[in-house]
Amino acid sequence: MAAASLGLVACDDGVEIVAQQAILEVDDQLDFGQVQIGTTTSERIFIKNSGDGVLRLNRPSRGNPWSDAYTFDIEEASLIVAPDATVAVDVVFSPVDEGEAIALLEIRPDDASLDPVTVTIRGEGVSTTLNANPENLSFGNVVVNTTKTLTIDLSNDSNLDATVQYLPDQNVKLCTSNQQDPATFCIRLRDRQITNGTFTLGAGESTVIEVQFTPVIPGTRERGNFSLRSCESSACETEIRLDGLGIESGFRCMPAELNFGQVNPGSCLTQTVSCENIANEQVTVVSWATVTNGGSVSSPDFEVEAPSVQVLNEGDSVDVDVTYCPETLGDDTGTLGIETDNQNPTLRNIFVPLVGTGGGPDIEVLPLQVNFGLVSTLAPARRSVLVTNVGFDALEISGITMDTQGTGAYSSPDAAAGVLQPGEAVTITVEFQPQVEGAVDSSMIIATNDADEPEVEVQLIGEGIMLPPCNFEVVPQSLSFGVIEATRSVQRAFEIRNVGVDQCLVTAVRMTPGSDAAFSLPDGDIMSELIDGGASTTITVQYSPTQSGTNTGGVEFSISSPSSPFNTVDLSGTGADSTLLIVPNEIDFGTIGFGCAARARIVTIYNTGATAATIDSIALSAPANPAFMITQLPAGLPGGQVTLAPGASTEFAVSFRAGQAESSYASAVEIGGSFNGQQVTYIVSLFGRAAKDATQIDEFEQLGTPKVDILFVIDNSCSMGQEQDSIAANFQAFIQFAQAQALDYQLGVTTADSDTDMGRLVHPTGPSALYGGPVQNKIVTPQTQPTPESVFVTNVSLGTGAPGSAADESGFESAFLALTAPNSIGHNAGFLRQDAVLSIIFVSDEPEQSQNTADFYINFFLSIKGFRNSNLFSASAIVGDNPGGCNGAGGSASAAPRYIEAANRTGGVFQSICTSDWSRALEDLSTAAFGFKSRFFLTNQPVISTIEIFIDGVSIPATSMGGTVNWSYDFATNSVNFSPFATPEPGASVRIEYTAECL
């Protein structure tokens, strides 16, 4: 409050006279606060005269500044305010813009003695803030002739009450209950009415606008809009936009067609049909299945998951998995039918066509995990990944992503896109070069056009280690396997010698890309091995030619030498149809103590040909390894020649003495000469190890391989009719063990008549029928039709028409001919599998009368799987008893000592052919024939008192606490023999530990 006054005081004759005075009082502030732009509001300034004199004022005037938003209504030139009276001045505020407006109004008395008063006027132009959420309202898909309602939240976010005007578009109306012509869109307020197109929304208040969409034309997208305005200014207007699509049905399945592309027979590919409720109506999926549509029956190669009732609200979906498993090559079609609860029959079912083709590419990647083990930071290591197209169409390798984790340690010099035709393969070399110590994990991804495996991931694992540079040598630098009969195997090894003082790390031993398949690493790709200074290790290579001819290859390894990180040992060998029989053709002296010598091993050379053979030399291969010595040579060598007549033999001896360091040793004996008019070189591989504790560990797995090849050699002389019938009648007792263990077996039958049938496998047309041309069922397998049992019974019923010569009972010779060329790669091809157990069962009521010695044949049979794999072979015999034969309910027979000797020496079983219980005899025979062992041959000669046996890691004493014998050692065969009740069960692991003899 401002005030101004004026007074006069005078004295006359002692009397005080006081003059009248005026006093101006007025507020110097006027605040309109917030005022909606486009509106007008008025306020008053009150001017009071609180004195007793008359107050005369000039007309109030605008000061500086003055906003045009203000006006006042004083027209007179001056104002007179009586004493103790008040007058008002009206000030009007009409904001047109948002923001604060300030003005000064001066009130000046006409009496110059009174001070003027300035009134400050303030006001703020504002627009009422309407907030609509959302401003764009999309209804999505709505089934025609149904209504979907959505809402808009509307709020007045200002401090002023708002009168809101509703301004509709022609496509939007107010919702009414009795509307005759409903609009596509209509609106209503949930808590108030719209009257004459307006409604009030107080300061800070909110409401809900309900918007309804009712489409009537399917496939048409409808649009509409309306505005809400709270003042005349455009700043006070909010526009709401609406859209929606009318559809006939809200249930949709994608994709419209399920195309599986090419899938290989035997493989399966699963794809998904996704069905969604995309509209406002609730949909119930009743069922789904492959159906007949348009007269087309769905292929049974399409399978659909079991249906279930699914209730779908808007936005809900259900996935239906369809699996395609073609059985044969060719195109397949089908239809997936999905039924809903739609009342319109034409819209109730959705049909999705199914298309697929049996065939196409099929990728096989081996291995799926590449483990480098330890690798020196000095030198990289390489391993191989083999990619094979095992399908029926070209495999397109579209890309190979190496080192997906970006470690920088993995690379490939030859990973590239390409095309593999069916049966083709490519080797991808993976290189690992660690930069620091520690584990480094990554992966490689191979992308192809294989439908069911478009990407194959190969895990890459390795660990870096820091080592000083290694000083080493490789002996020999190439391996020759000489001549070996096709379908047979031999192993040789080379040494990696650490000739320095620091450790050497050997890693990533692999066959070089392009090596002939006849060469392999029997111990797999050797991961990594540390070799101490002065010690050595050996790398074993196997040569298994499948046909005659020369083979070449190589073995590559990495070693911790920056100057020579990669090293290759060249390989060569020759497969031949027939060769000298050298047994054993590989000798493993096992593990012996430092400075100890092992027993000398005898090697026998047999001339299996029809003409004389000569032996010109028998010597250690160069460079000679001093750990091995030839201690006995045939007369005439060295310097001369040994001539072997057909069927004759000679022998030599090899010994081994260990050094003073823990090392592995390898060498070979080369035998040079001529056979069948050809100069040949044969190899006898030598292996040995030296260890301080000299503990030899031999490990076996009972029925470790599920594959077994069984050759029946059956006497077909005139006295064998009853025995052949007994085998046929009781064959089920024999085969039941294989069936129970789900073994992959092959059964072949030949006769003991080596002159007529010559070891050829018989078949249902008879043993001596025409052997040329296609022959069915000469090899009986679990898949043989109509049944394996019926075909075997036919094959084994040989008849008894063979003449009575000694050749009728030459079972050894028949087996020899069955398992050697030309039969092994001709008529009998496919019977002898390299990775299968081999069993021979001789059935005869006469003695064995083949031309060569029993030693020759037994050694030959053992050599088929290799003397290091003697547990993969056995010979069994159903023959006459020793020493005087037999005579019983099953018939009579002469003694057969050679057959029985073969069974005893190979871990087979002897059964009397005179038995009255053929069922029991064949049942007992079958376990041994199918690879179930009670005898395990040892690698080395043991100190008997040190033998320890573990079955599945549990120690098994030779004799139980009750005195029962669990196992015993047989010196003659150098084997451990289990008692029947203690024999390891199928699948059991057997570990035999012992100290080797030290001579």
Side-chain angles (χ1 to χ4, degrees):
M1 173 74 72
S5 64
L6 174 64
L8 297 176
V9 179
C11 291
D12 185 10
D13 299 330
V15 178
E16 181 179 357
I17 300 173
V18 178
Q20 293 178 330
Q21 63 179 4
I23 300 175
L24 172 64
E25 293 183 4
V26 64
D27 288 333
D28 58 3
Q29 298 285 338
L30 177 63
D31 195 342
F32 282 84
Q34 291 182 329
V35 177
Q36 171 72 46
I37 60 175
T39 63
T40 298
T41 186
S42 176
E43 294 287 347
R44 287 185 167 184
I45 298 174
F46 294 97
I47 305 172
K48 181 179 181 181
N49 180 3
S50 58
D52 53 7
V54 176
L55 176 63
R56 290 181 173 81
L57 299 174
N58 294 319
R59 182 180 184 277
S61 62
R62 300 175 179 177
N64 188 18
W66 181 265
S67 171
D68 290 338
Y70 298 101
T71 60
F72 56 91
D73 60 354
I74 300 296
E75 296 297 335
E76 295 85 356
S78 63
L79 296 175
I80 298 174
V81 185
D84 198 28
T86 300
V87 297
V89 177
D90 290 326
V91 180
V92 177
F93 182 38
S94 301
V96 294
D97 297 309
E98 292 185 351
E100 185 179 41
I102 299 177
L104 298 179
L105 186 66
E106 289 188 352
I107 300 174
R108 182 181 298 277
D110 65 355
D111 189 339
S113 64
L114 293 178
D115 293 331
V117 177
T118 300
V119 179
T120 301
I121 305 172
R122 286 184 174 85
E124 183 181 0
V126 297
S127 62
T128 306
T129 305
L130 292 181
N131 186 9
N133 184 28
E135 293 183 3
N136 296 305
L137 196 63
S138 179
F139 285 81
N141 303 307
V142 179
V143 177
V144 293
N145 297 317
T146 68
T147 297
K148 182 176 180 179
T149 301
L150 296 178
T151 61
I152 299 171
D153 292 327
L154 180 67
S155 61
N156 179 1
D157 293 344
S158 69
N159 295 323
L160 302 176
D161 293 342
T163 298
V164 182
Q165 185 179 8
Y166 161 65
L167 305 172
D169 182 86
Q170 62 179 1
N171 207 24
V172 182
K173 296 183 178 180
L174 294 179
C175 300
T176 60
S177 58
N178 59 353
Q179 197 167 351
Q180 297 298 314
D181 182 21
T184 306
F185 300 99
C186 71
I187 73 164
R188 66 161 55 95
L189 299 179
R190 182 172 292 178
D191 59 357
R192 65 198 67 200
Q193 297 294 321
I194 300 176
T195 304
N196 297 325
T198 64
F199 62 93
T200 301
L201 197 61
E205 190 179 9
S206 63
T207 189
V208 174
I209 304 173
E210 293 181 348
V211 184
Q212 295 180 355
F213 174 47
T214 308
V216 293
I217 303 174
T220 300
R221 181 169 294 281
E222 302 284 355
R223 291 181 173 83
N225 65 287
F226 64 92
S227 297
L228 300 173
R229 181 183 295 172
S230 58
C231 71
E232 294 301 321
S233 170
S234 61
C236 302
E237 185 171 322
T238 299
E239 184 181 18
I240 309 296
R241 289 171 292 277
L242 313 174
D243 73 86
L245 177 66
I247 58 175
E248 287 192 27
S249 173
F251 188 66
R252 180 182 64 182
C253 293
M254 298 295 290
E257 178 184 86
L258 210 56
N259 192 333
F260 289 85
Q262 292 181 317
V263 179
N264 278 271
S267 297
C268 294
L269 178 62
T270 298
Q271 292 192 21
T272 300
V273 174
S274 183
C275 298
E276 182 182 8
N277 182 3
I278 60 172
N280 58 310
E281 277 193 324
Q282 188 182 76
V283 176
T284 299
V285 179
V286 178
S287 183
W288 57 73
T290 54
V291 297
T292 298
N293 188 35
S296 177
V297 178
S298 290
S299 167
D301 293 345
F302 295 104
E303 298 179 358
V304 181
E305 66 172 309
S308 61
V309 176
Q310 303 278 336
V311 178
L312 306 181
N313 293 309
E314 184 176 4
D316 292 343
S317 64
V318 61
D319 291 340
V320 181
D321 288 340
V322 183
T323 302
Y324 176 48
C325 304
E327 292 188 357
T328 58
L329 298 174
D331 295 334
D332 293 296
T333 59
T335 302
L336 170 65
I338 301 170
E339 182 183 357
T340 71
D341 64 344
N342 197 311
Q343 298 303 306
N344 186 341
T346 63
L347 302 175
R348 183 173 302 152
N349 296 291
I350 287 184
F351 299 103
V352 179
L354 309 175
V355 179
T357 300
D362 189 9
I363 187 172
E364 179 182 77
V365 179
L366 294 173
L368 289 174
Q369 183 187 82
V370 179
N371 191 341
F372 285 85
L374 289 174
V375 175
S376 168
T377 56
L378 291 174
R382 293 174 181 157
R383 289 201 177 279
S384 300
V385 174
L386 184 66
V387 180
T388 306
N389 181 4
V390 296
F392 302 91
D393 205 350
L395 178 72
E396 298 176 6
I397 302 176
S398 56
I400 299 175
T401 304
M402 183 64 61
D403 194 13
T404 59
Q405 300 303 309
T407 66
Y410 295 98
S411 61
S412 175
D414 52 19
V419 177
L420 295 180
Q421 297 303 319
E424 286 188 340
V426 65
T427 298
I428 299 174
T429 300
V430 181
E431 191 167 295
F432 175 47
Q433 175 62 82
Q435 306 300 314
V436 295
E437 288 193 308
V440 184
D441 295 345
S442 191
S443 65
M444 171 177 66
I445 295 178
I446 304 170
T448 70
N449 62 334
D450 184 338
D452 59 324
E453 286 186 288
E455 287 188 350
V456 177
E457 183 175 14
V458 179
Q459 290 183 309
L460 306 177
I461 300 172
E463 183 177 354
I465 183 174
M466 290 186 179
L467 293 170
C470 165
N471 191 9
F472 71 99
E473 63 181 11
V474 181
V475 180
Q477 295 184 352
S478 63
L479 287 181
S480 172
F481 289 82
V483 177
I484 180 174
E485 184 177 336
T487 72
R488 305 290 290 280
S489 296
V490 66
Q491 295 182 354
R492 279 200 70 179
F494 60 89
E495 291 183 25
I496 304 174
R497 299 174 180 172
N498 184 348
V499 296
V501 295
D502 295 313
Q503 284 185 318
C504 290
L505 175 62
V506 176
T507 189
V509 182
R510 65 167 187 161
M511 301 302 304
T512 58
S515 294
D516 287 343
F519 298 103
S520 63
L521 297 171
D523 299 323
D525 286 1
I526 300 168
M527 188 179 302
S528 53
E529 183 177 347
L530 287 167
I531 309 172
D532 291 332
S536 63
T537 191
T538 56
I539 307 298
T540 302
V541 184
Q542 182 166 295
Y543 176 49
S544 306
T546 57
Q547 57 188 6
S548 58
T550 300
N551 301 105
T552 58
V555 175
E556 180 190 82
F557 65 90
S558 174
I559 196 164
S560 52
S561 169
S563 61
S564 184
F566 295 110
N567 298 266
T568 301
V569 173
D570 294 327
L571 310 174
S572 62
T574 302
D577 290 341
S578 59
T579 65
L580 291 174
L581 175 61
I582 301 173
V583 289
N585 62 352
E586 53 187 74
I587 300 173
D588 187 354
F589 288 94
T591 302
I592 60 176
F594 293 166
C596 292
R599 288 179 182 268
R601 307 290 176 87
I602 302 298
V603 180
T604 305
I605 306 172
Y606 296 94
N607 181 3
T608 60
T611 60
T614 60
I615 305 298
D616 299 324
S617 63
I618 299 175
L620 290 171
S621 59
N625 191 321
F628 300 97
M629 293 170 288
I630 298 176
T631 55
Q632 174 188 323
L633 283 171
L637 294 178
Q641 192 177 72
V642 177
T643 300
L644 296 178
S649 64
T650 188
E651 60 185 30
F652 63 92
V654 183
S655 65
F656 168 62
R657 180 176 294 276
Q660 297 298 323
E662 190 153 328
S663 297
S664 296
Y665 302 90
S667 188
V669 175
E670 293 185 359
I671 304 169
S674 63
F675 176 74
N676 286 343
Q678 299 292 323
Q679 287 296 123
V680 290
T681 299
Y682 299 100
I683 299 294
V684 176
S685 303
L686 306 176
F687 306 87
R689 288 171 294 282
K692 186 176 182 180
D693 62 3
T695 298
Q696 175 73 40
I697 300 176
D698 293 338
E699 295 183 300
F700 311 91
E701 186 176 351
Q702 183 70 287
L703 284 179
T705 172
K707 294 183 178 181
V708 58
D709 302 327
I710 300 179
L711 176 66
F712 283 84
V713 182
I714 300 179
D715 186 351
N716 62 332
S717 61
C718 58
S719 60
M720 283 291 295
Q722 180 180 354
E723 289 80 0
Q724 293 178 22
D725 291 343
S726 295
I727 294 175
N730 294 279
F731 177 67
Q732 186 58 43
F734 176 83
I735 202 66
Q736 63 185 359
F737 180 83
Q739 293 171 335
Q741 301 297 327
L743 299 181
D744 177 7
Y745 62 80
Q746 293 192 154
L747 308 179
V749 179
T750 190
T751 74
D753 185 353
S754 60
D755 281 348
T756 304
D757 296 316
M758 297 182 292
R760 291 172 292 193
L761 299 182
V762 303
H763 48 86
T765 57
S768 299
L770 180 64
Y771 286 96
V775 176
Q776 301 297 323
N777 292 335
K778 62 186 175 183
I779 300 175
V780 178
T781 72
Q783 290 77 41
T784 297
Q785 298 296 323
T787 66
E789 294 86 348
S790 63
V791 174
F792 179 81
V793 167
T794 301
N795 289 356
V796 83
S797 301
L798 300 170
T800 57
S805 67
D808 299 348
E809 287 83 28
S810 53
F812 282 172
E813 181 67 16
S814 288
F816 173 79
L817 295 173
L819 301 171
T820 54
N823 280 333
S824 62
I825 58 177
H827 179 81
N828 298 348
F831 172 75
L832 190 61
R833 295 177 292 180
Q834 183 179 342
D835 56 347
V837 169
L838 173 63
S839 296
I840 304 175
I841 300 174
F842 298 100
V843 184
S844 179
D845 60 359
E846 297 290 342
E848 206 291 315
Q849 301 176 59
S850 298
Q851 59 183 344
N852 284 313
T853 65
D855 269 348
F856 167 79
Y857 290 110
I858 293 171
N859 281 329
F860 165 76
F861 298 142
L862 288 168
S863 71
I864 293 175
K865 295 299 176 184
F867 282 82
R868 300 177 73 184
N869 301 311
S870 56
N871 283 285
L872 296 180
F873 172 77
S874 69
S876 296
I878 306 177
V879 295
D881 304 57
N882 275 339
C886 63
N887 192 354
S892 61
S894 302
R898 282 162 54 106
Y899 286 131
I900 295 173
E901 180 185 358
N904 289 337
R905 288 174 57 182
T906 63
V909 172
F910 158 70
Q911 293 287 337
S912 175
I913 199 170
C914 300
T915 181
S916 59
D917 189 355
W918 274 88
S919 176
R920 177 60 182 273
L922 288 173
E923 182 179 344
D924 292 344
L925 176 68
S926 70
T927 55
F930 284 108
F932 186 81
K933 301 293 184 183
S934 61
R935 174 180 293 180
F936 295 87
F937 296 95
L938 305 184
T939 300
N940 217 328
Q941 203 73 32
V943 176
I944 298 174
S945 62
T946 66
I947 297 176
E948 291 185 87
I949 294 182
F950 302 86
I951 298 179
D952 291 333
V954 178
S955 177
I956 306 298
T959 304
S960 67
M961 295 182 64
T964 303
V965 175
N966 292 324
W967 56 267
S968 60
Y969 171 73
D970 181 61
F971 184 85
T973 58
N974 193 32
S975 64
V976 169
N977 302 292
F978 284 90
S979 300
F981 61 85
T983 301
E985 294 294 324
S989 62
V990 180
R991 188 172 85 250
I992 304 177
E993 298 182 2
Y994 53 90
T995 300
E997 281 186 324
C998 181
L999 302 179

